[in-house]
Amino acid sequence: MNDQPTTKWIGQPLDRVDGPAKVTGAATYSADYRGDQQAAIGFIVEATIGSGKVSQIETADAEAADGVHLVMTHQNAPEQAPFGDNADAGRFGMSHAVLQNDEVRYYGAPVAFIVADTLEQARYAAGLIKVTYQADDSVFDAFEHEEDAFAPDSLDGAEEADVDKGDFDAIFAESAETLDATFHTAAQHAAAMEPHATVAEWDGDKLTVHIAVQILSSARKAFANTLKIDPANVRIVTPFVGGGFGSKLGVHSEGVLAALAARKLQRPVRIAQTRRHVFSNGPHRTNHRQRIRLGASADGKLLSVAHETLGAMSRDYPFAEAAASPTMASYAAEAMKIRHRVVAANIPHVDSMRAPGEAIGTLTYESAIDELAVQCGIDPLEFRLKNEPKQEPASGKEFSTRTLARCLREGAELFGWEKGPVEPGALREGRLLIGRGLAAAIRPNMMQPAEAAAELDRDGRLTVELDMTDIGTGTYTILTQIAAETLGLDPDAIAVRLGDTNYPKTCGSGGSFGAGSTGTAVSKACASIRDTIIERAARLDSDWAGVNSGDLRIENGNAVVAGRSLALGAILDAIGGDSFKGKGQVEPGKAHEDLAQYSYGGVFAEVSVNADTGEIRVRRLAGAFDAGRILNEKTARSQLMGGMIFGLGAALMEESLMDMRFGSFMNRDLAEYHIAVNRDVPRLEVKMLDTFDQASNPLGSKGIGELGICGTGPAIANAVYAATGYRTRKFPIHLEDLLDHLPAL
Ligand code: MOS
């Protein structure tokens, strides 16, 4: 099952093939696009109420301001399909109408869009708009309106909001050791370096949108559905994306505003959201309350598990996060009760953020498991190993591979985990309390439909095209490696082209499914070229009959295999063509339905807590991870490290705070929204198991981008407990939460 094929290129720590373009500025991100015609610049005027109506809007001063070409409000915005129309296209493809009427759905929603020659002019004019509102009664705080909670139809990361296995209440009541703990996780914003940005331009009926998105095909649908135009007339171009983390899975208001304004003005319109705008017109992860109840036998066998979550769903925007997803997959238990509930609220769009479900689910569940282990007097590593399931606990499905225990053991070795419970406060360096903690990481492995086209010319140069994105993860590089491997070709002879809906359709980047899905499509496209070459070569030279296609190499314009060589040109001349073309296509099959597929990790942390101030510093982080076959040792490691840093931020820093009087986020910039910086991050030790999951895809790889964030936060939280003897059950953990609970030294 875990046999690794021998490879030349796949797995190698190849430098990013797009690295030189990025560091020299040659890589064009969406807002960098420059066409023939100079673009006008857009700026969003945001609503300053959370819910209600615009009763009056005065635009005359703005319209008269220098350089202003357009002031678009609900009074003059072109007709669009109502927001949410064409719901079948999903939340990323449905209508994303803006300025459609006088209603305000959330604080910061656009009430006007100014387009001027320069950003300064547009921004100045935005300040001249006067809006009078009629605010109405709104729901901003989901927890205050718990009585209105409902089970969401659409849940990211789980099929059903409710899962019941066995009789939880009865088994919990009889369990020797029980825990009933309520956790709070914070709202967060993906703080991608590149903000959401768009340049829209029209050529007659045809719209081209240069937009920062992760998935091109659904963006195309969103523009077509919103503007009520034929998708064939929408082209999305996104060669580079400066970080997504889920926030660019779909299109946002700036994209639609740019498209509307560009059509009105008959000239390209460019807008990059400001960082403040990103906090209202970009999506966010909402805060959750999670109640976890666990029951175990006296000797530490987990018997009963209940995980009940409550969070907000933005009104009219169908997304909810399956925070109990890791609970359903991590440890064996006879009885399980899962409830996901949401309350509709007038808040900016709640949507996917890196590892939706698992990130905040492992944060709480792995904290609760740790707490129960301590209560049972069992080493938390032992406790986890002891409760390792044979099948997926909630569903009873077989696992494609199950290496959680191996990850925990290898992580323990990497970190130097010492067996046996340590009394909180027992480890000290001067007035620093030292604590060590661990947690499991688990993340479903997915596959999505993808197609790719490849073309090999007579000189042996290969071009690969697909509408996949590289959101900083290394897609260009790994697809180059996969093509090189399949055709026995040097990476220098390969050009991978991404980010254009004119290329074959893929799933884009999201859910950690991008590399495996699109990599398989590319490998198949190249394999089909390989098969054509061998088949045609055999017609010219019978020596080629029966050649093993895996042995073929393309060298200096020749097809080469075991002592035989034929010029590609000679084969092409015989066929009468200029190049070899191949297509590859993949979609999830039975192995994705029948088997429970996950990526795994075991993460370990050491922290110090200042006994006087409560200041927490992470001193060490080590993780062992299994994401199947590693496609590129360097980009994979970077993904895991980035995820771990994200997890550190979730444990100690990242928190979007809402003013519940208005439903507005208060800390809308990177001075006030704290992300982990270099000073916060210790040396990261990452070990990759590099296995092969044949059920996942023919490459054997599994999702890695969202794995590192899972497990890291709770490992840190468990280390804080080990240091102090106190659990905040609230994330991020602030020093002031600890101050009253620090042991007296
Ligand atoms: Mo991910 S949150 O699906 O980009």
Side-chain angles (χ1 to χ4, degrees):
M1 195 101 169
N2 286 349
D3 284 347
Q4 276 281 13
T6 313
T7 56
K8 179 163 183 203
W9 293 110
I10 291 180
Q12 292 302 315
L14 192 71
D15 286 342
R16 283 163 192 267
V17 297
D18 51 341
K22 284 189 172 169
V23 297
T24 56
T28 49
Y29 292 80
S30 295
D32 295 332
Y33 169 76
R34 296 292 181 276
D36 296 339
Q37 210 188 342
Q38 191 172 346
I41 311 298
F43 194 85
I44 297 173
V45 181
E46 297 192 323
T48 54
I49 58 166
S51 176
K53 283 183 189 313
V54 172
S55 40
Q56 207 190 343
I57 184 158
E58 289 171 44
T59 58
D61 291 350
E63 276 159 1
D66 277 356
V68 171
H69 296 286
L70 175 67
V71 176
M72 196 162 63
T73 68
H74 70 275
Q75 289 162 336
N76 63 347
E79 198 217 330
Q80 304 152 71
F83 184 89
D85 216 33
N86 267 309
D88 289 354
R91 69 184 192 278
F92 304 135
M94 68 188 194
S95 169
H96 279 253
V98 291
L99 301 175
Q100 47 183 349
N101 52 40
D102 58 358
E103 275 168 42
V104 174
R105 284 195 300 119
Y106 58 87
Y107 193 101
V111 292
F113 187 58
I114 318 283
V115 184
D117 285 325
T118 68
L119 174 63
E120 291 73 16
Q121 289 167 336
R123 194 168 192 158
Y124 174 74
L128 301 176
I129 302 273
K130 292 182 197 68
V131 190
T132 319
Y133 298 98
Q134 202 182 339
D136 61 22
D137 278 346
S138 303
V139 176
F140 300 133
D141 188 340
F143 306 106
E144 264 188 12
H145 294 265
E146 195 177 344
E147 69 280 5
D148 298 327
F150 61 94
D153 295 335
S154 151
L155 195 62
D156 221 53
E159 279 163 24
E160 303 286 343
D162 293 11
V163 175
D164 287 287
K165 174 191 168 186
D167 187 343
F168 169 79
D169 292 322
I171 297 178
F172 182 72
E174 288 164 14
S175 300
E177 295 290 342
T178 60
L179 176 77
D180 182 349
T182 298
F183 295 85
H184 294 272
T185 54
Q188 299 173 338
H189 279 81
M193 220 189 297
E194 179 203 29
H196 302 80
T198 302
V199 182
E201 61 183 354
W202 290 82
D203 178 8
D205 290 345
K206 294 194 189 318
L207 170 66
T208 302
V209 197
H210 304 262
I211 179 170
V213 284
Q214 297 173 220
I215 306 175
L216 270 58
S217 57
S218 52
R220 170 186 242 170
K221 280 189 203 160
F223 282 98
N225 284 333
T226 306
L227 305 173
K228 302 204 274 190
I229 57 177
D230 185 347
N233 285 339
V234 180
R235 180 179 172 202
I236 309 289
V237 183
T238 310
F240 294 97
V241 181
F245 316 114
S247 82
K248 292 171 185 162
L249 286 165
V251 307
H252 303 290
S253 58
E254 104 285 340
V256 180
L257 289 164
L260 293 171
R263 188 164 55 179
K264 250 179 183 278
L265 293 171
Q266 288 294 302
R267 72 181 275 195
V269 170
R270 176 164 71 243
I271 169 175
Q273 290 197 28
T274 63
R275 186 59 64 183
R276 288 183 65 78
H277 285 162
V278 168
F279 276 77
S280 47
N281 281 288
H284 70 282
R285 163 179 273 147
T286 196
N287 50 323
H288 281 80
R289 189 186 75 198
Q290 303 183 42
R291 182 185 186 196
I292 296 177
R293 283 175 289 166
L294 303 174
S297 64
D299 63 346
K301 186 167 178 279
L302 192 61
L303 301 171
S304 53
V305 172
H307 193 159
E308 296 158 280
T309 77
L310 182 68
M313 177 181 269
S314 332
R315 215 179 274 284
D316 303 328
Y317 193 80
F319 170 84
E321 190 168 358
S325 142
T327 307
M328 295 189 265
S330 297
Y331 305 108
E334 277 171 49
M336 216 169 251
K337 175 179 176 174
I338 304 292
R339 298 287 181 272
H340 292 101
R341 292 293 178 269
V342 291
V343 170
N346 286 80
I347 59 174
H349 293 171
V350 175
D351 209 326
S352 292
M353 184 161 149
R354 202 172 197 172
E358 294 74 31
I360 59 167
T362 51
L363 206 46
T364 57
Y365 192 54
E366 285 294 318
S367 295
I369 286 289
D370 211 75
E371 207 167 333
L372 185 64
V374 170
Q375 199 176 310
C376 293
I378 300 177
D379 174 77
L381 173 60
E382 271 318 303
F383 187 88
R384 286 169 170 88
L385 296 174
K386 194 180 167 80
N387 288 293
E388 178 63 17
K390 295 225 162 24
Q391 287 89 20
E392 187 180 42
S395 71
K397 281 185 187 178
E398 298 295 328
F399 291 106
S400 61
T401 66
R402 178 79 186 181
T403 54
L404 181 59
R406 205 179 136 197
C407 289
L408 287 166
R409 285 200 185 95
E410 299 212 12
E413 200 183 307
L414 184 67
F415 180 80
W417 179 257
E418 281 164 40
K419 220 178 151 114
V422 179
E423 286 305 308
L427 267 180
R428 262 186 263 158
E429 283 176 21
R431 296 197 63 79
L432 294 180
L433 307 162
I434 311 299
R436 297 181 187 132
L438 76 121
I442 189 162
R443 165 81 191 158
N445 176 58
M446 293 179 256
M447 162 168 276
Q448 292 287 307
E451 293 168 27
E455 183 172 3
L456 182 70
D457 70 15
R458 58 177 60 228
D459 298 327
R461 300 202 64 82
L462 182 79
T463 307
V464 176
E465 294 179 338
L466 58 166
D467 81 357
M468 178 59 178
T469 48
D470 188 329
I471 61 172
T473 43
T475 315
Y476 280 107
T477 312
I478 56 131
L479 295 182
T480 301
Q481 287 172 275
I482 290 165
E485 189 74 51
T486 316
L487 278 167
L489 191 58
D490 195 90
D492 288 342
I494 299 171
V496 172
R497 297 195 185 133
L498 306 177
D500 191 328
T501 45
N502 284 347
Y503 302 151
K505 182 174 160 181
T506 72
C507 51
S509 301
S512 303
F513 49 60
S517 308
T518 63
T520 301
V522 167
S523 138
K524 286 184 163 188
C526 295
S528 110
I529 289 181
R530 195 172 65 183
D531 294 344
T532 307
I533 291 173
I534 290 171
E535 190 242 326
R536 294 292 170 167
R539 292 193 203 178
L540 293 179
D541 175 353
S542 60
D543 266 8
W544 281 76
V547 156
N548 177 8
S549 66
D551 296 337
L552 181 79
R553 298 187 314 277
I554 307 296
E555 284 173 4
N556 305 318
N558 298 310
V560 181
V561 63
R564 275 153 284 184
S565 177
L566 255 179
L568 293 173
I571 305 174
L572 283 168
D573 289 341
I575 312 174
D578 291 330
S579 63
F580 298 96
K581 294 196 173 84
K583 278 197 185 336
Q585 188 264 336
V586 68
E587 56 188 55
K590 223 172 131 44
H592 281 267
E593 234 170 71
D594 296 350
L595 295 171
Q597 299 191 21
Y598 291 92
S599 298
Y600 305 98
V603 188
F604 293 75
E606 180 179 296
V607 304
S608 69
V609 179
N610 186 301
D612 300 306
T613 65
E615 184 193 8
I616 305 162
R617 305 300 305 182
V618 181
R619 311 206 319 171
R620 280 202 299 141
L621 269 182
F625 298 95
D626 177 17
R629 188 193 198 179
I630 297 305
L631 299 172
N632 177 317
E633 206 274 338
K634 186 182 281 183
T635 58
R637 184 176 298 274
S638 294
Q639 283 298 296
L640 290 167
M641 287 167 61
M644 289 167 84
I645 294 167
F646 228 136
L648 190 162
L652 301 178
M653 290 146 204
E654 294 201 38
E655 181 172 29
S656 304
L657 293 161
M658 185 172 275
D659 184 333
M660 287 302 174
R661 294 171 303 171
F662 310 111
S664 60
F665 285 112
M666 298 183 286
N667 51 337
R668 293 170 59 176
D669 56 45
L670 297 181
E672 300 286 331
Y673 181 86
H674 294 170
I675 58 170
V677 298
N678 280 341
R679 179 67 183 85
D680 300 311
V681 182
R683 187 162 62 91
L684 302 173
E685 290 172 90
V686 173
K687 179 170 186 184
M688 294 179 281
L689 268 46
D690 200 10
T691 61
F692 190 96
D693 189 341
Q694 60 186 7
S696 172
N697 60 54
L699 300 167
S701 69
K702 292 201 274 200
I704 201 167
E706 294 169 295
L707 181 60
I709 189 173
C710 307
T712 302
I716 292 168
N718 295 335
V720 170
Y721 165 75
T724 62
Y726 179 67
R727 291 188 192 269
T728 64
R729 293 180 181 166
K730 168 190 156 296
F731 296 98
I733 304 171
H734 290 167
L735 57 86
E736 64 267 29
D737 302 329
L738 299 178
L739 274 182
D740 291 341
H741 305 278
L742 294 168
L745 293 186

